[in-house]
Amino acid sequence: MPIRAVIFMLCVLASASARAQTPLPAEIPLFPLPEVVLFPKVGRPLLIFEPRYREMVPDALKGSRILGMVLLRPGFEDNYEGRPPIYGVGCAAEIEEYEQLPDGRYMIQVRGLMTFRVLSEDQRRPYRVARVEAIPERLAEADLGPLSTARERLAKLLVTVLPPNVDPPDPSIGDAEYVNLIAQALQMGESERQDLLERDSVLARARALVERLERR
């Protein structure tokens, strides 16, 4: 199972320099995409080119700077310009950096904050806006040891699938960041990645990744 070289271009928030977690507003703009599942504490660049989302970005920048990254369900093509079905769980992302290009498009850098569940949608704007509730990722004290063990196993399995010219992730990052980085970067179907996002804890996500690599 190959791994995307882009894994090491993703921006990961290091625990030592982490800012206080931004609270999740009750209502956030949604950015539905067919091939992007974002995970907490992992970052990535995005190019914003559709008119409705070019309107969304400055609105978000004037407010909380938070977007709701959600995955489009299969069959979205028939109604892409409208409001096709989405998965009900997504990842809230904070816009950390942005640049408006001369043609009006935006390049933005986002960082995953937390998972959320969509409760309802507001249809009054060109882009989608939803009422949401945060889904805390459970990590009890008793889970810390098993998570560390799962991370070590994941690291050993990872080196067996890395291309020869690609280094493994920085070993200094925290266990949760490490697991989420791998979950976002491993080559797999987006529905499988969505399943990982919906796991109720980082430990469950780590164990699912270990099982996946052991089945390769």
Side-chain angles (χ1 to χ4, degrees), residues 43-65:
R44 64 168 298 147
L46 295 167
L47 174 63
I48 312 298
F49 56 88
E50 289 187 48
R52 54 183 166 173
Y53 300 126
R54 284 158 57 172
E55 182 175 336
M56 174 189 70
V57 168
D59 287 351
L61 291 171
K62 288 183 288 188
S64 66
R65 301 175 72 96

PDB file of all heavy atoms in Angstrom, residues 43-65:
ATOM      1  N   GLY A  43      -3.039  20.124   8.957  1.00  0.00           N
ATOM      2  CA  GLY A  43      -3.311  21.244   8.068  1.00  0.00           C
ATOM      3  C   GLY A  43      -3.107  20.887   6.617  1.00  0.00           C
ATOM      4  O   GLY A  43      -2.482  19.868   6.291  1.00  0.00           O
ATOM      5  N   ARG A  44      -3.634  21.729   5.742  1.00  0.00           N
ATOM      6  CA  ARG A  44      -3.426  21.548   4.312  1.00  0.00           C
ATOM      7  C   ARG A  44      -3.788  22.832   3.588  1.00  0.00           C
ATOM      8  O   ARG A  44      -4.590  23.629   4.075  1.00  0.00           O
ATOM      9  CB  ARG A  44      -4.249  20.391   3.759  1.00  0.00           C
ATOM     10  CG  ARG A  44      -5.746  20.564   3.838  1.00  0.00           C
ATOM     11  CD  ARG A  44      -6.449  19.513   3.008  1.00  0.00           C
ATOM     12  NE  ARG A  44      -6.105  19.620   1.617  1.00  0.00           N
ATOM     13  CZ  ARG A  44      -6.014  18.586   0.771  1.00  0.00           C
ATOM     14  NH1 ARG A  44      -6.243  17.380   1.193  1.00  0.00           N
ATOM     15  NH2 ARG A  44      -5.704  18.786  -0.505  1.00  0.00           N
ATOM     16  N   PRO A  45      -3.209  23.046   2.391  1.00  0.00           N
ATOM     17  CA  PRO A  45      -3.591  24.197   1.574  1.00  0.00           C
ATOM     18  C   PRO A  45      -4.818  23.865   0.734  1.00  0.00           C
ATOM     19  O   PRO A  45      -5.054  22.709   0.383  1.00  0.00           O
ATOM     20  CB  PRO A  45      -2.359  24.414   0.699  1.00  0.00           C
ATOM     21  CG  PRO A  45      -1.787  23.038   0.542  1.00  0.00           C
ATOM     22  CD  PRO A  45      -2.078  22.289   1.818  1.00  0.00           C
ATOM     23  N   LEU A  46      -5.584  24.896   0.403  1.00  0.00           N
ATOM     24  CA  LEU A  46      -6.760  24.734  -0.446  1.00  0.00           C
ATOM     25  C   LEU A  46      -6.826  25.896  -1.426  1.00  0.00           C
ATOM     26  O   LEU A  46      -6.563  27.042  -1.051  1.00  0.00           O
ATOM     27  CB  LEU A  46      -8.046  24.702   0.382  1.00  0.00           C
ATOM     28  CG  LEU A  46      -8.230  23.519   1.343  1.00  0.00           C
ATOM     29  CD1 LEU A  46      -9.378  23.800   2.293  1.00  0.00           C
ATOM     30  CD2 LEU A  46      -8.466  22.224   0.577  1.00  0.00           C
ATOM     31  N   LEU A  47      -7.192  25.593  -2.650  1.00  0.00           N
ATOM     32  CA  LEU A  47      -7.418  26.628  -3.657  1.00  0.00           C
ATOM     33  C   LEU A  47      -8.919  26.845  -3.783  1.00  0.00           C
ATOM     34  O   LEU A  47      -9.664  25.902  -4.061  1.00  0.00           O
ATOM     35  CB  LEU A  47      -6.829  26.203  -5.003  1.00  0.00           C
ATOM     36  CG  LEU A  47      -7.110  27.135  -6.185  1.00  0.00           C
ATOM     37  CD1 LEU A  47      -6.471  28.508  -5.955  1.00  0.00           C
ATOM     38  CD2 LEU A  47      -6.616  26.513  -7.483  1.00  0.00           C
ATOM     39  N   ILE A  48      -9.370  28.084  -3.577  1.00  0.00           N
ATOM     40  CA  ILE A  48     -10.787  28.415  -3.625  1.00  0.00           C
ATOM     41  C   ILE A  48     -11.068  29.138  -4.933  1.00  0.00           C
ATOM     42  O   ILE A  48     -10.566  30.255  -5.156  1.00  0.00           O
ATOM     43  CB  ILE A  48     -11.198  29.312  -2.439  1.00  0.00           C
ATOM     44  CG1 ILE A  48     -10.653  28.749  -1.117  1.00  0.00           C
ATOM     45  CG2 ILE A  48     -12.696  29.501  -2.391  1.00  0.00           C
ATOM     46  CD1 ILE A  48     -11.168  27.381  -0.762  1.00  0.00           C
ATOM     47  N   PHE A  49     -11.880  28.519  -5.795  1.00  0.00           N
ATOM     48  CA  PHE A  49     -12.086  29.130  -7.111  1.00  0.00           C
ATOM     49  C   PHE A  49     -13.557  29.299  -7.492  1.00  0.00           C
ATOM     50  O   PHE A  49     -13.877  30.137  -8.327  1.00  0.00           O
ATOM     51  CB  PHE A  49     -11.369  28.317  -8.193  1.00  0.00           C
ATOM     52  CG  PHE A  49     -11.757  26.869  -8.249  1.00  0.00           C
ATOM     53  CD1 PHE A  49     -12.832  26.450  -9.007  1.00  0.00           C
ATOM     54  CD2 PHE A  49     -11.033  25.930  -7.536  1.00  0.00           C
ATOM     55  CE1 PHE A  49     -13.189  25.113  -9.060  1.00  0.00           C
ATOM     56  CE2 PHE A  49     -11.374  24.590  -7.581  1.00  0.00           C
ATOM     57  CZ  PHE A  49     -12.464  24.173  -8.350  1.00  0.00           C
ATOM     58  N   GLU A  50     -14.464  28.531  -6.900  1.00  0.00           N
ATOM     59  CA  GLU A  50     -15.877  28.702  -7.245  1.00  0.00           C
ATOM     60  C   GLU A  50     -16.407  30.015  -6.676  1.00  0.00           C
ATOM     61  O   GLU A  50     -16.057  30.386  -5.546  1.00  0.00           O
ATOM     62  CB  GLU A  50     -16.709  27.546  -6.703  1.00  0.00           C
ATOM     63  CG  GLU A  50     -16.491  26.229  -7.410  1.00  0.00           C
ATOM     64  CD  GLU A  50     -17.476  25.184  -6.929  1.00  0.00           C
ATOM     65  OE1 GLU A  50     -18.687  25.482  -6.867  1.00  0.00           O
ATOM     66  OE2 GLU A  50     -17.034  24.068  -6.604  1.00  0.00           O
ATOM     67  N   PRO A  51     -17.270  30.725  -7.420  1.00  0.00           N
ATOM     68  CA  PRO A  51     -17.776  32.013  -6.943  1.00  0.00           C
ATOM     69  C   PRO A  51     -18.418  31.951  -5.560  1.00  0.00           C
ATOM     70  O   PRO A  51     -18.196  32.842  -4.728  1.00  0.00           O
ATOM     71  CB  PRO A  51     -18.795  32.402  -8.019  1.00  0.00           C
ATOM     72  CG  PRO A  51     -18.289  31.747  -9.263  1.00  0.00           C
ATOM     73  CD  PRO A  51     -17.697  30.441  -8.810  1.00  0.00           C
ATOM     74  N   ARG A  52     -19.209  30.926  -5.279  1.00  0.00           N
ATOM     75  CA  ARG A  52     -19.884  30.865  -3.974  1.00  0.00           C
ATOM     76  C   ARG A  52     -18.882  30.732  -2.832  1.00  0.00           C
ATOM     77  O   ARG A  52     -19.084  31.280  -1.742  1.00  0.00           O
ATOM     78  CB  ARG A  52     -20.898  29.724  -3.945  1.00  0.00           C
ATOM     79  CG  ARG A  52     -20.342  28.356  -4.321  1.00  0.00           C
ATOM     80  CD  ARG A  52     -21.422  27.294  -4.330  1.00  0.00           C
ATOM     81  NE  ARG A  52     -20.987  26.079  -4.995  1.00  0.00           N
ATOM     82  CZ  ARG A  52     -21.698  24.959  -5.024  1.00  0.00           C
ATOM     83  NH1 ARG A  52     -22.871  24.902  -4.401  1.00  0.00           N
ATOM     84  NH2 ARG A  52     -21.244  23.889  -5.667  1.00  0.00           N
ATOM     85  N   TYR A  53     -17.794  30.010  -3.076  1.00  0.00           N
ATOM     86  CA  TYR A  53     -16.805  29.845  -2.012  1.00  0.00           C
ATOM     87  C   TYR A  53     -15.824  31.017  -1.969  1.00  0.00           C
ATOM     88  O   TYR A  53     -15.240  31.291  -0.918  1.00  0.00           O
ATOM     89  CB  TYR A  53     -16.095  28.504  -2.169  1.00  0.00           C
ATOM     90  CG  TYR A  53     -17.077  27.353  -2.094  1.00  0.00           C
ATOM     91  CD1 TYR A  53     -17.162  26.395  -3.097  1.00  0.00           C
ATOM     92  CD2 TYR A  53     -17.967  27.263  -1.018  1.00  0.00           C
ATOM     93  CE1 TYR A  53     -18.090  25.371  -3.030  1.00  0.00           C
ATOM     94  CE2 TYR A  53     -18.901  26.239  -0.941  1.00  0.00           C
ATOM     95  CZ  TYR A  53     -18.955  25.300  -1.950  1.00  0.00           C
ATOM     96  OH  TYR A  53     -19.899  24.299  -1.882  1.00  0.00           O
ATOM     97  N   ARG A  54     -15.680  31.716  -3.082  1.00  0.00           N
ATOM     98  CA  ARG A  54     -14.918  32.970  -3.048  1.00  0.00           C
ATOM     99  C   ARG A  54     -15.673  34.016  -2.239  1.00  0.00           C
ATOM    100  O   ARG A  54     -15.060  34.933  -1.682  1.00  0.00           O
ATOM    101  CB  ARG A  54     -14.660  33.442  -4.472  1.00  0.00           C
ATOM    102  CG  ARG A  54     -13.555  32.649  -5.158  1.00  0.00           C
ATOM    103  CD  ARG A  54     -13.595  32.697  -6.661  1.00  0.00           C
ATOM    104  NE  ARG A  54     -13.530  34.039  -7.199  1.00  0.00           N
ATOM    105  CZ  ARG A  54     -13.403  34.309  -8.497  1.00  0.00           C
ATOM    106  NH1 ARG A  54     -13.314  33.309  -9.372  1.00  0.00           N
ATOM    107  NH2 ARG A  54     -13.348  35.532  -8.932  1.00  0.00           N
ATOM    108  N   GLU A  55     -16.968  33.892  -2.152  1.00  0.00           N
ATOM    109  CA  GLU A  55     -17.756  34.751  -1.264  1.00  0.00           C
ATOM    110  C   GLU A  55     -17.678  34.272   0.183  1.00  0.00           C
ATOM    111  O   GLU A  55     -17.664  35.065   1.126  1.00  0.00           O
ATOM    112  CB  GLU A  55     -19.214  34.766  -1.720  1.00  0.00           C
ATOM    113  CG  GLU A  55     -20.126  35.661  -0.901  1.00  0.00           C
ATOM    114  CD  GLU A  55     -21.536  35.733  -1.452  1.00  0.00           C
ATOM    115  OE1 GLU A  55     -21.716  35.489  -2.662  1.00  0.00           O
ATOM    116  OE2 GLU A  55     -22.463  36.040  -0.669  1.00  0.00           O
ATOM    117  N   MET A  56     -17.588  32.974   0.362  1.00  0.00           N
ATOM    118  CA  MET A  56     -17.533  32.384   1.700  1.00  0.00           C
ATOM    119  C   MET A  56     -16.269  32.776   2.459  1.00  0.00           C
ATOM    120  O   MET A  56     -16.308  33.074   3.666  1.00  0.00           O
ATOM    121  CB  MET A  56     -17.610  30.856   1.589  1.00  0.00           C
ATOM    122  CG  MET A  56     -17.433  30.096   2.890  1.00  0.00           C
ATOM    123  SD  MET A  56     -17.266  28.303   2.612  1.00  0.00           S
ATOM    124  CE  MET A  56     -15.623  28.230   1.831  1.00  0.00           C
ATOM    125  N   VAL A  57     -15.117  32.764   1.766  1.00  0.00           N
ATOM    126  CA  VAL A  57     -13.841  32.996   2.456  1.00  0.00           C
ATOM    127  C   VAL A  57     -13.779  34.356   3.140  1.00  0.00           C
ATOM    128  O   VAL A  57     -13.466  34.437   4.336  1.00  0.00           O
ATOM    129  CB  VAL A  57     -12.658  32.786   1.495  1.00  0.00           C
ATOM    130  CG1 VAL A  57     -11.357  33.291   2.105  1.00  0.00           C
ATOM    131  CG2 VAL A  57     -12.523  31.311   1.141  1.00  0.00           C
ATOM    132  N   PRO A  58     -14.053  35.472   2.459  1.00  0.00           N
ATOM    133  CA  PRO A  58     -13.988  36.757   3.159  1.00  0.00           C
ATOM    134  C   PRO A  58     -15.014  36.872   4.286  1.00  0.00           C
ATOM    135  O   PRO A  58     -14.750  37.518   5.306  1.00  0.00           O
ATOM    136  CB  PRO A  58     -14.238  37.795   2.066  1.00  0.00           C
ATOM    137  CG  PRO A  58     -14.836  37.053   0.932  1.00  0.00           C
ATOM    138  CD  PRO A  58     -14.310  35.666   1.022  1.00  0.00           C
ATOM    139  N   ASP A  59     -16.175  36.232   4.108  1.00  0.00           N
ATOM    140  CA  ASP A  59     -17.156  36.233   5.205  1.00  0.00           C
ATOM    141  C   ASP A  59     -16.587  35.519   6.422  1.00  0.00           C
ATOM    142  O   ASP A  59     -16.745  35.974   7.559  1.00  0.00           O
ATOM    143  CB  ASP A  59     -18.449  35.556   4.757  1.00  0.00           C
ATOM    144  CG  ASP A  59     -19.262  36.407   3.781  1.00  0.00           C
ATOM    145  OD1 ASP A  59     -18.908  37.591   3.596  1.00  0.00           O
ATOM    146  OD2 ASP A  59     -20.237  35.886   3.210  1.00  0.00           O
ATOM    147  N   ALA A  60     -15.925  34.380   6.190  1.00  0.00           N
ATOM    148  CA  ALA A  60     -15.329  33.641   7.301  1.00  0.00           C
ATOM    149  C   ALA A  60     -14.199  34.432   7.948  1.00  0.00           C
ATOM    150  O   ALA A  60     -14.048  34.434   9.174  1.00  0.00           O
ATOM    151  CB  ALA A  60     -14.810  32.292   6.811  1.00  0.00           C
ATOM    152  N   LEU A  61     -13.414  35.120   7.139  1.00  0.00           N
ATOM    153  CA  LEU A  61     -12.294  35.898   7.675  1.00  0.00           C
ATOM    154  C   LEU A  61     -12.777  37.049   8.551  1.00  0.00           C
ATOM    155  O   LEU A  61     -12.103  37.443   9.505  1.00  0.00           O
ATOM    156  CB  LEU A  61     -11.437  36.438   6.528  1.00  0.00           C
ATOM    157  CG  LEU A  61     -10.647  35.392   5.736  1.00  0.00           C
ATOM    158  CD1 LEU A  61     -10.020  36.028   4.503  1.00  0.00           C
ATOM    159  CD2 LEU A  61      -9.574  34.739   6.602  1.00  0.00           C
ATOM    160  N   LYS A  62     -13.962  37.571   8.239  1.00  0.00           N
ATOM    161  CA  LYS A  62     -14.517  38.651   9.060  1.00  0.00           C
ATOM    162  C   LYS A  62     -15.128  38.119  10.345  1.00  0.00           C
ATOM    163  O   LYS A  62     -15.418  38.886  11.253  1.00  0.00           O
ATOM    164  CB  LYS A  62     -15.572  39.417   8.256  1.00  0.00           C
ATOM    165  CG  LYS A  62     -15.003  40.289   7.145  1.00  0.00           C
ATOM    166  CD  LYS A  62     -16.074  41.087   6.436  1.00  0.00           C
ATOM    167  CE  LYS A  62     -16.946  40.208   5.566  1.00  0.00           C
ATOM    168  NZ  LYS A  62     -17.877  40.995   4.716  1.00  0.00           N
ATOM    169  N   GLY A  63     -15.331  36.821  10.412  1.00  0.00           N
ATOM    170  CA  GLY A  63     -15.940  36.213  11.588  1.00  0.00           C
ATOM    171  C   GLY A  63     -14.964  35.352  12.353  1.00  0.00           C
ATOM    172  O   GLY A  63     -13.876  35.787  12.745  1.00  0.00           O
ATOM    173  N   SER A  64     -15.319  34.092  12.537  1.00  0.00           N
ATOM    174  CA  SER A  64     -14.519  33.181  13.367  1.00  0.00           C
ATOM    175  C   SER A  64     -13.320  32.595  12.645  1.00  0.00           C
ATOM    176  O   SER A  64     -12.469  31.970  13.264  1.00  0.00           O
ATOM    177  CB  SER A  64     -15.405  32.026  13.850  1.00  0.00           C
ATOM    178  OG  SER A  64     -15.820  31.236  12.747  1.00  0.00           O
ATOM    179  N   ARG A  65     -13.251  32.738  11.324  1.00  0.00           N
ATOM    180  CA  ARG A  65     -12.217  32.139  10.471  1.00  0.00           C
ATOM    181  C   ARG A  65     -12.346  30.618  10.393  1.00  0.00           C
ATOM    182  O   ARG A  65     -11.418  29.921   9.978  1.00  0.00           O
ATOM    183  CB  ARG A  65     -10.793  32.511  10.943  1.00  0.00           C
ATOM    184  CG  ARG A  65     -10.527  33.998  10.979  1.00  0.00           C
ATOM    185  CD  ARG A  65      -9.156  34.305  11.566  1.00  0.00           C
ATOM    186  NE  ARG A  65      -8.074  33.948  10.662  1.00  0.00           N
ATOM    187  CZ  ARG A  65      -7.470  34.794   9.832  1.00  0.00           C
ATOM    188  NH1 ARG A  65      -7.844  36.069   9.784  1.00  0.00           N
ATOM    189  NH2 ARG A  65      -6.473  34.391   9.044  1.00  0.00           N
TER     190      ARG A  65
END
